[in-house]
Amino acid sequence: MLNNTQIRFCLDKMGEMFPDAHCELNHSNPFELVVAVALSAQCTDALVNKVTKKLFTKYKKPEDYLAVSLEELQQDIRSIGLFRNKAKNIRNLSQLLIEQYGGIVPNDRDELTKLPGVGRKTANVVVSVAFDIPAIAVDTHVERVSKRLGICRWKDSVLEVEKTLMRKVPKDEWSVTHHRMIFFGRYHCKAQSPQCEVCPLLDLCREGKKRMKKNNRSTKGEK
């Protein structure tokens, strides 16, 4: 496991590599962000943005999603995986927002998780990005990077990863660290083809060292 000094080094390097890391889901208000994040489950941000470009022109507020049939909404997001379930969740969360929150997205994580289809990760993204409240949303990239580097243990659950990062990262850096770790995992420390050979964190990365040793043995075996 990395110590605090090593973790600080990792965070600083990620900051140097991705100083402009940010939420890549296009949105213009908290409600659009909730919808976009709900659509992004098991789907790329690029595809979500392609769909929401038209979706957010047609649907401006929660009432708009209830003014059409479920089948019509399903058709509008059909190119996104799990579109039937996501369409149902969007309509249900729109209904709940109208009934309990006056159509306004709450800025409290616990309240957000009461919305259909909104889990802890989605709620953390919304409070962080839409309301500038410190939070660390643990998606697949954040989890993978944390475990590969040894900031967290391989057996840790997603919630344990979040709590560990909250302890080891200064609170005023939670949100920016979340974005930088996502960029680091999405564009550098990829799931299938991590760029270990050019990684500035290789000397500290237990997984990277194992991968490089394995690659070196394979290269020697081919000669």
Side-chain angles (χ1 to χ4, degrees):
M1 299 291 289
L2 298 186
N3 59 39
N4 290 336
T5 300
Q6 292 170 323
I7 292 174
R8 182 71 263 169
F9 178 83
C10 290
L11 298 180
D12 290 341
K13 280 298 179 182
M14 289 181 202
E16 292 174 8
M17 294 174 70
F18 303 104
D20 300 318
H22 60 280
C23 176
E24 293 190 298
L25 290 170
N26 295 333
H27 64 282
S28 60
N29 56 61
F31 178 60
E32 288 187 352
L33 180 60
V34 170
V35 173
V37 180
L39 291 173
S40 71
Q42 299 182 42
C43 182
T44 65
D45 287 0
L47 179 55
V48 172
N49 288 337
K50 183 178 180 180
V51 171
T52 56
K53 184 177 182 179
K54 293 182 178 179
L55 194 73
F56 292 160
T57 298
K58 180 176 181 179
Y59 304 94
K60 301 290 188 180
K61 55 187 183 298
E63 289 83 355
D64 295 337
Y65 287 96
L66 301 177
V68 302
S69 67
L70 176 61
E71 290 73 23
E72 182 174 345
L73 179 55
Q74 288 176 346
Q75 193 62 37
D76 288 335
I77 64 171
R78 190 178 184 84
S79 60
I80 287 181
L82 306 175
F83 69 93
R84 291 186 179 86
N85 190 54
K86 291 177 180 179
K88 182 179 178 180
N89 282 336
I90 290 172
R91 279 173 56 87
N92 288 340
L93 72 83
S94 294
Q95 184 71 50
L96 194 62
L97 281 175
I98 294 169
E99 293 177 351
Q100 297 190 18
Y101 302 97
I104 305 299
V105 175
N107 63 356
D108 179 83
R109 184 179 63 194
D110 292 336
E111 293 300 316
L112 283 165
T113 56
K114 295 178 182 178
L115 301 176
V118 176
R120 187 180 180 91
K121 185 205 77 172
T122 298
N124 278 334
V125 171
V126 174
V127 297
S128 172
V129 176
F131 300 110
D132 200 27
I133 297 172
I136 296 178
V138 180
D139 68 353
T140 56
H141 300 297
V142 174
E143 181 180 10
R144 181 175 67 255
V145 168
S146 298
K147 292 181 177 181
R148 278 182 174 175
L149 285 172
I151 297 175
C152 302
R153 299 171 297 179
W154 279 111
K155 65 178 182 180
D156 284 352
S157 66
V158 172
L159 180 57
E160 288 171 332
V161 170
E162 180 187 335
K163 290 182 177 180
T164 296
L165 291 173
M166 289 171 68
R167 290 197 307 271
K168 296 185 177 182
V169 176
K171 187 172 183 178
D172 62 352
E173 296 181 33
W174 285 359
S175 295
V176 69
T177 294
H178 153 244
H179 292 304
R180 287 172 178 171
M181 292 185 81
I182 287 178
F183 270 51
F184 186 77
R186 180 177 291 162
Y187 302 114
H188 181 80
C189 189
K190 304 174 184 178
Q192 299 301 324
S193 302
Q195 301 175 29
C196 301
E197 65 279 0
V198 294
C199 184
L201 304 182
L202 180 60
D203 289 343
L204 296 178
C205 181
R206 59 185 182 185
E207 183 69 16
K209 290 178 181 178
K210 291 179 183 178
R211 189 179 296 270
M212 290 300 293
K213 286 181 180 180
K214 182 178 179 180
N215 290 343
N216 289 336
R217 287 197 297 268
S218 297
T219 302
K220 291 179 181 179
E222 293 174 356
K223 293 180 179 180

